[in-house]
Amino acid sequence: IGRVEGYDAGFPTREYLGVTLGADSARIGPALEALRQRLESDPDVAGVTFVDRLPGESHIHRRVDLSRPDSPTAVVATAAVDPSYFDVLQAPIIAGRAFTHADVASGAHVAIVDQVFADSVMGGRNPIGHTIRLRTSQMPDSVVARLPRYEIIGLVKELGMSSMAMPPRVAGVYLPVAPGGLGAVNMIVHGRGDPLALAPRIRELALAVD
């Protein structure tokens, strides 16, 4: 458990605690929801959400192909987030809409991008309604053509998609996911007081639910 601090992540990091919970597994999804519910019932907790990489950590990078055939590809940082992510980080949607649980349940191919994406990849144009593909650099064109296209449904400000060791402006793409359906499972807890004071309680509850 560690405080998310010392880095301009676009939200008041001193109010938050980043918690690494373990590897992904369908089995732990219900346990994570139980942990969330127990924590949110604590008067010292303002919110709980989940993400595959914490703000300020190194994120997975992909090449992005836009819906316009004449558009060049660009490298973006990606994150898989719980639909509550932007609410808990107090980062309202600038344009479009946020993720919903229906997006996760239906497996909808939707994405939210950040302001750096709009500025650098879209050239300042409104990204809402455009579609993108996410691929690796070595992926053959025949494979790329079979990849799903994600519709951009929302725009948010920069939220720590670059690592502390990298230049600050890296275009970011967010995809919706349910807790437990991530790579490494990370939880972010928004405390009403000093979030470090919550660490013993979080450990206790985590052991109690699983």
Side-chain angles (χ1 to χ4, degrees), residues 18-22 32 49-54 57 80 182-188:
V19 185
T20 299
L21 295 169
L32 294 178
T49 192
F50 299 92
V51 64
D52 65 339
R53 298 287 192 278
L54 293 170
E57 289 185 340
L182 312 173
V185 178
N186 293 290
M187 181 172 67
I188 298 178

Side-chain angles (χ1 to χ4, degrees), residues 21 27-28 30-39 202-210:
L21 295 169
R27 180 185 66 81
I28 68 172
L32 294 178
E33 285 295 351
L35 178 59
R36 187 212 306 256
Q37 291 173 17
R38 293 198 184 190
L39 282 171
I202 294 172
R203 289 192 180 97
E204 175 188 340
L205 289 176
L207 289 172
V209 300
D210 193 331

Side-chain angles (χ1 to χ4, degrees), residues 106-158:
S106 66
H109 293 134
V110 293
I112 290 175
V113 299
D114 64 14
Q115 189 64 56
V116 184
F117 185 100
D119 293 343
S120 61
V121 180
M122 298 294 301
R125 298 186 303 275
N126 182 358
I128 306 302
H130 286 265
T131 62
I132 57 174
R133 279 196 180 110
L134 298 170
R135 62 182 179 87
T136 63
S137 299
Q138 299 79 19
M139 192 172 287
D141 290 342
S142 58
V143 175
V144 172
R146 296 195 298 270
L147 294 177
R149 281 200 169 273
Y150 293 84
E151 179 186 358
I152 299 174
I153 61 168
L155 173 67
V156 293
K157 64 179 181 179
E158 300 173 49

Side-chain angles (χ1 to χ4, degrees), residues 77-93:
T78 61
V81 302
D82 183 80
S84 66
Y85 189 74
F86 304 109
D87 281 342
V88 172
L89 267 57
Q90 304 177 81
I93 299 296

